[in-house]
Amino acid sequence: MSRLFQDHYNDALSQDEQQWLHRVRELCVDTIGPGAAETARNDTFAWNTFRLLADAGILATAFPRQYGGSDARQQLRIRLIEELGRVCSAAASMVTGADLSARAIVAGASGEVKQELIPSLCTGRIQAAFALTEPGAGSDVRGLQSVAVATNSGYVVSGRKKFITRASTSDWLVVVARCRRTATSGQKDEEPLVALLIPCNAPGVRIGPETGKLGWYGVPISEIELDQVSVAERWRLGAEGEGFSLAQDALVRARLGHASMALGRAIGAVEIAATYCNDREVFGKRLGSHQGVQWMLADMVTQIEASRALLANAAAAYDRGDPQSHIQASMAKLHATDLGMRVVTDALQLTGGRGYLQDFPLERFFRDAKLNQIGEGSSEVHKTVIGRDVVRRARESDRHPCLDANRLATDW
Ligand SMILES: Cc1cc2nc3c(=O)[nH]c(=O)nc-3n(C[C@H](O)[C@H](O)[C@H](O)COP(=O)(O)OP(=O)(O)OC[C@H]3O[C@@H](n4cnc5c(N)ncnc54)[C@H](O)[C@@H]3O)c2cc1C
C-alpha cells in the first residue's frame, strides 16, 4: 500500500501492534472510509460503526486484559485513532470515548464492579458516558454544582450535566459531583469531588433529547438531569476527593486521542486536496504545478509531521509513566487540534467550490475539525496549563549559563 504520509513510527510498535494497525487500516479502506459520508448523514448514533469497532476488538484496546481488553499502549492507540480520524470522526470518537467514559471505572472501581461491567464495555454490549461538564462548569471545573449528599448507604445525587456525548445510548454514567456530608457547612472547599457510577435507568435520571450540533455526526450529545438519584456506596469510583484526579487521568488519555483524531483528519484532508491538485487543470497546467499551491501543501505536510512527532513523544511519555506526560499531552493536543483546523481550512480552499459541497468529504472534515479545539480542554485552557508549568519549572531550573548565577535577571 503506497501512501502520501509515511509510517515513521512503526519501529516503536511490536509485531503484534503493527498487525493491529494493519487490521484497522483494512477496515478503514474497506468499510469505514467508504461508508463515512453515510455514517455522518444524520446526527443519530452510528450503531453500525460502533458494532464494527466492537466486533473488531478496537473498543477493547482501552481496557485491561484481565477483564477482556487488550490494554493497548498509547503509542498504538494514537496510531489506530489517527487511521480512523483520517476517514471518519464518529468512528475515532467512539474509540476515544470508550476510554474517556470508562477510564474512571478501570482506575477507581472495586474488583467486583470491574468484573461486572468491563467485559461488556469491551464487547460494546453496554456503553458508559462521561458526565463532567455542567451549565456553569466547562473550562473551569471549580464551578461544578452537582452534589452527592452522603447517606448511611451511599449518596443522593442532584444536578445538571451538559453536552454529554452518547448519554442517549449509554447504560451507565460516570458522574463527577461535589460530595457533601451533613456535618460540613456547604462551603465548596469542604466538598471534595467524588466520581460515581449511575445507571441511566435509575429513578431520578432524565436524559434530555439529542442536541443539534455543527459536526461529529454519529455521536450525539444530550443534557442530563439528576434529581435525588440514590447511588449505593459500591458504585463510588475511588475515594471521596479523588473525583478530580480520576477525571484528569481520563482526560489526559482523551487529549492524546483528540490530537490523533485531528492529525488523522488533517492527513486525510491533505491527501484529498493533493489529489484534487493533480486532477485539476488551471491556467494551462495542473493546479499542483503552481508554486503557490505547492508551498501551501509543503506547509501542511511539514507541520503535520512536526505534530505527529510531538504526539508520538507525548504517548511514549505516558506509556513510561513520565510525571510530565500530562503537559506533553496538553502540548500535543493544542498543537494538533489548532493545526488540524488550519489544514482542513486550507485543504478546502485548495479544492475551491468542489470542497465546499456536501458530497465532497472536506465539507464534513471542516465541520468536524472545530470540536477538537474545544472538547477535553479548549486550546486556551491548554495554553494556560502549559504556560503555568513553564513559569513554575523556570523557577526550579538551572539558570541559563549566559546569566550571572548570583544576580537577579532584573538587576542585570
Ligand atoms: C460536541 C461536544 C461533546 C462534548 N462531550 C462531553 C462529554 O462527553 N462529557 C463532558 O463532560 N463534557 C463534554 N463536552 C463539554 C466540553 O468538554 C466543554 O465544552 C469544554 O470543556 C469547554 O467548556 P465550555 O463549553 O463550558 O466553554 P467555557 O468554559 O464557557 O469557555 C468558553 C471559551 O472561553 C475560553 N476560556 C475559558 N477560560 C479562559 C481563560 N481563562 N482564558 C482564556 N480563554 C478562556 C475557552 O477556551 C472557550 O473557548 C462536550 C462538548 C461538545 C461541544
Side-chain angles (χ1 to χ4, degrees):
M1 236 194 276
S2 154
R3 292 169 47 144
L4 189 58
F5 283 80
Q6 292 179 0
D7 283 326
H8 315 292
Y9 306 101
N10 276 9
D11 287 350
L13 302 181
S14 67
Q15 284 296 318
D16 186 45
E17 288 174 323
Q18 290 188 30
Q19 277 171 16
W20 264 107
L21 185 58
H22 184 69
R23 279 206 293 280
V24 171
R25 273 192 181 165
E26 281 186 339
L27 210 57
C28 287
V29 171
D30 297 341
T31 319
I32 299 178
E38 192 51 42
T39 300
R41 184 92 49 220
N42 301 302
D43 198 6
T44 52
F45 189 67
W47 280 107
N48 288 346
T49 308
F50 181 75
R51 284 264 45 102
L52 202 68
L53 294 167
D55 293 347
I58 303 169
L59 299 181
T61 57
F63 299 101
R65 287 175 197 276
Q66 189 185 353
Y67 302 106
S70 54
D71 209 6
R73 296 185 305 156
Q74 290 301 312
Q75 284 166 96
L76 172 62
R77 297 243 326 151
I78 59 167
R79 303 295 308 284
L80 302 182
I81 296 164
E82 182 186 275
E83 285 303 318
L84 295 164
R86 176 172 169 251
V87 294
C88 178
S89 301
S93 159
M94 286 170 189
V95 174
T96 58
D99 192 21
L100 170 69
S101 56
R103 181 66 192 166
I105 304 174
V106 172
S110 67
E112 200 186 36
V113 168
K114 285 185 202 177
Q115 194 57 61
E116 190 174 332
L117 299 186
I118 297 179
S120 299
L121 288 164
C122 287
T123 58
R125 203 176 64 73
I126 61 169
Q127 290 189 62
F130 177 69
L132 177 67
T133 306
E134 298 185 358
S139 306
D140 183 4
V141 291
R142 288 173 309 178
L144 283 185
Q145 301 278 343
S146 293
V147 173
V149 178
T151 64
N152 288 340
S153 56
Y155 303 87
V156 174
V157 186
S158 297
R160 275 177 69 200
K161 296 289 177 181
K162 201 174 177 187
F163 305 136
I164 307 306
T165 306
R166 295 178 295 103
S168 53
T169 52
S170 285
D171 306 272
W172 291 87
L173 302 171
V174 172
V175 170
V176 182
R178 299 192 167 280
C179 179
R180 183 171 298 164
R181 296 221 154 251
T182 42
T184 59
S185 62
Q187 295 295 312
K188 279 186 178 174
D189 54 2
E190 292 179 9
E191 296 177 346
L193 296 185
V194 65
L196 296 168
L197 256 173
I198 301 181
C200 289
N201 60 4
V205 176
R206 196 185 74 81
I207 312 283
E210 292 168 353
T211 319
K213 53 184 166 57
L214 176 70
W216 282 42
Y217 282 15
V219 276
I221 59 171
S222 311
E223 286 199 29
I224 299 169
E225 267 182 40
L226 304 164
D227 182 14
Q228 304 272 312
V229 183
S230 292
V231 183
E233 184 144 11
R234 73 185 293 254
W235 300 117
R236 192 186 64 220
L237 302 171
E240 286 177 8
E242 285 181 1
F244 184 72
S245 56
L246 285 170
Q248 278 302 104
D249 174 47
L251 287 167
V252 168
R253 296 163 65 97
R255 284 163 187 161
L256 297 174
H258 264 262
S260 350
M261 185 193 313
L263 282 177
R265 189 185 303 112
I267 286 169
V270 172
E271 290 173 318
I272 292 166
T275 302
Y276 183 88
C277 291
N278 270 327
D279 293 352
R280 176 73 166 165
E281 275 210 8
V282 292
F283 300 103
K285 54 182 181 178
R286 287 179 199 278
L287 181 58
S289 307
H290 293 266
Q291 191 185 47
V293 169
Q294 289 178 357
W295 284 11
M296 279 176 79
L297 290 168
D299 276 342
M300 292 178 188
V301 295
T302 306
Q303 289 174 31
I304 288 172
E305 291 298 6
S307 204
R308 287 175 102 194
L310 187 61
L311 176 59
N313 276 341
Y318 182 91
D319 286 337
R320 67 172 181 269
D322 185 328
Q324 278 291 103
S325 63
H326 64 292
I327 299 292
Q328 296 204 28
S330 284
M331 288 187 207
K333 202 252 177 194
L334 169 67
H335 195 271
T337 61
D338 282 0
L339 174 67
M341 189 73 240
R342 275 203 307 281
V343 167
V344 170
T345 305
D346 286 350
L348 198 153
Q349 187 72 16
L350 278 177
T351 56
R354 166 52 60 202
Y356 193 72
L357 300 188
Q358 281 181 347
D359 67 352
F360 203 68
L362 292 181
E363 181 263 355
R364 170 167 56 87
F365 283 26
F366 183 76
R367 287 186 292 104
D368 288 345
K370 193 67 206 165
L371 184 62
N372 292 106
Q373 295 178 292
I374 296 172
E376 266 57 293
S378 64
S379 297
E380 293 74 21
V381 165
H382 289 295
K383 281 185 199 170
T384 306
V385 168
I386 298 162
R388 199 185 289 143
D389 179 68
V390 173
V391 175
R392 181 188 62 78
R393 282 190 304 116
R395 274 198 302 271
E396 296 164 2
S397 304
D398 294 342
R399 289 188 161 230
H400 188 276
C402 297
L403 287 177
D404 184 336
N406 301 315
R407 255 199 302 172
L408 291 176
T410 46
D411 292 344
W412 201 257

